[in-house]
Amino acid sequence: PPVVASASADGPDDQERKLRPRRLDEMVGQRDVIERLKIAIDAATGRGEPLGHILFDGPPGLGKTTFATVIPAEMGTTVQMANGAGLSAPKDLLPYLTNVSEKSVLFIDEIHRVPKAVEEYLYTAMEDFRIDIVLGEGVNARTLNFELQPFTLIGATTRAGMLSAPLRDRFQIREHLGWYSDDQLCELVIRNAKKLSVEIDQPAAGEIARRSRRTPRLANNRLHWVRDYAQIKAKGSVTIGVARDSLDMIGIDKLGLDKQDRNYLETLIRVFGGGPSGLEAIAHTMNVSSDTLEDEVEPFLLRSELIVRTRRGRMATSKAFEHMKMAPPTL
Ligand code: ATP
């Protein structure tokens, strides 16, 4: 399997890779997570053992994949990248597991999507560095036993609650990645502007940070757009006015909400009178999947206190009505 998927010269993947930190010390925020990981890495290295298996959970874009590439770099080992959605049968695991070298890392993103039948093979792989695979059926069935090199599994999930307890318990280290502060994102924007050779001042970086929903990936995406805009409209230099105008132009508002977030609030308020409404009903009306809403849209709206989840469904808060400049329904 490929170690890292390749991308065209300056496609979005390439841009993302350019800004992705290579070492723990290049990462912003997550200080406590980084401190714990450093201890675990140094201890394992000192003993000459592979690092214990690690599970990262948290909303998208907060650094799970980044950690999964930085940790092997710190340890001077290689990483294979897999996705839970691509491991639909036990045989899909084989190329990865047989390719692991001693102390190398196997990263499985979206590990909650690994089906039960495949998950069971991970148990022995993680615990005893061994897999027993049954090939064929009935009288022709035979079991193949593979000894694996001792390796480290790094799993990432946006849905820790969907992992079965036996799988969850096989990770020695579990880290939750939380949102970044505006100051941390501001630091990230300034650092990455330098990497992209963009001239930017502190207030402009702060404005981009505040409109990035506490998420490094979004801060980077917004910075790329602001850079393009500045190049064409402002001789390449980013001031707070340039940052505001360019982000307004792509529908990113003062709270960092994008069109989809506002579409969610608008639907909840206009169609469902502000709720309570079930997630499925909102998803159907917006014509997007409920998973997308639950993983990518709602966490930030909840965190921003624009919606609440009640037993009867989602409800818009008065802050949401105010932000959307929509009147609450009259009784
Ligand atoms: P997903 O679950 O959607 O794959 P993720 O949590 O794996 O998201 P990453 O791909 O690791 O998120 O992060 C997105 C981008 O944000 C990275 O390319 C990286 O440039 C940047 N990034 C994330 N965390 C940090 C950090 N702590 N410091 C600096 N940059 C970061």
Side-chain angles (χ1 to χ4, degrees), residues 167-313:
L167 181 59
R168 211 176 332 125
D169 293 345
R170 281 174 171 79
F171 289 97
Q172 282 93 19
I173 303 171
R174 274 178 262 167
E175 293 290 357
H176 172 76
L177 299 186
W179 308 93
Y180 293 67
S181 70
D182 287 347
D183 285 347
Q184 288 165 346
L185 288 189
C186 185
E187 186 190 330
L188 177 90
V189 168
I190 288 177
R191 223 188 264 188
N192 287 345
K194 229 177 249 154
K195 285 193 197 167
L196 297 172
S197 316
V198 185
E199 207 183 296
I200 193 168
D201 60 22
Q202 184 91 23
E207 187 66 22
I208 297 175
R210 279 191 297 282
R211 293 193 187 201
S212 296
R213 299 170 40 155
R214 316 255 151 155
T215 307
R217 172 177 296 134
L218 295 183
N220 284 342
N221 290 350
R222 308 230 200 290
L223 175 62
H224 277 117
W225 164 249
V226 173
R227 171 176 79 152
D228 287 351
Y229 181 96
Q231 186 185 323
I232 302 304
K233 299 265 196 187
K235 299 202 181 89
S237 142
V238 181
T239 58
I240 188 161
V242 169
R244 271 189 197 136
D245 292 348
S246 56
L247 292 175
D248 285 347
M249 189 174 176
I250 53 169
I252 288 157
D253 68 23
K254 283 191 183 64
L255 294 182
L257 306 192
D258 61 19
K259 286 186 195 128
Q260 174 143 289
D261 302 322
R262 281 199 308 280
N263 190 0
Y264 179 106
L265 291 180
E266 219 240 8
T267 304
L268 180 57
I269 292 174
R270 189 177 52 79
V271 183
F272 299 100
S277 162
L279 173 66
E280 291 295 330
I282 302 169
H284 281 308
T285 309
M286 289 175 66
N287 200 18
V288 295
S289 85
S290 54
D291 280 355
T292 304
L293 291 187
E294 198 167 13
D295 288 349
E296 291 172 25
V297 178
E298 290 192 329
F300 186 69
L301 297 178
L302 284 162
R303 194 184 181 284
S304 307
E305 298 177 358
L306 291 162
I307 59 167
V308 287
R309 282 174 73 158
T310 69
R311 216 180 311 165
R312 286 159 54 228

Side-chain angles (χ1 to χ4, degrees), residues 69-83:
T69 53
V70 164
I71 290 167
E74 290 285 337
M75 303 193 63
T77 178
T78 56
V79 55
Q80 299 186 80
M81 316 280 263
N83 191 295

Side-chain angles (χ1 to χ4, degrees), residues 125-137:
M126 292 170 79
E127 222 163 52
D128 309 323
F129 302 120
R130 178 175 64 82
I131 38 169
D132 312 310
I133 285 212
V134 183
L135 293 178
E137 276 172 34

Side-chain angles (χ1 to χ4, degrees), residues 16 19-21 28 61-66 180 188 217 220:
E16 180 152 324
L19 298 184
R20 179 168 274 161
V28 304
L62 298 190
K64 298 184 293 296
T65 308
T66 302
Y180 293 67
L188 177 90
R217 172 177 296 134
N220 284 342

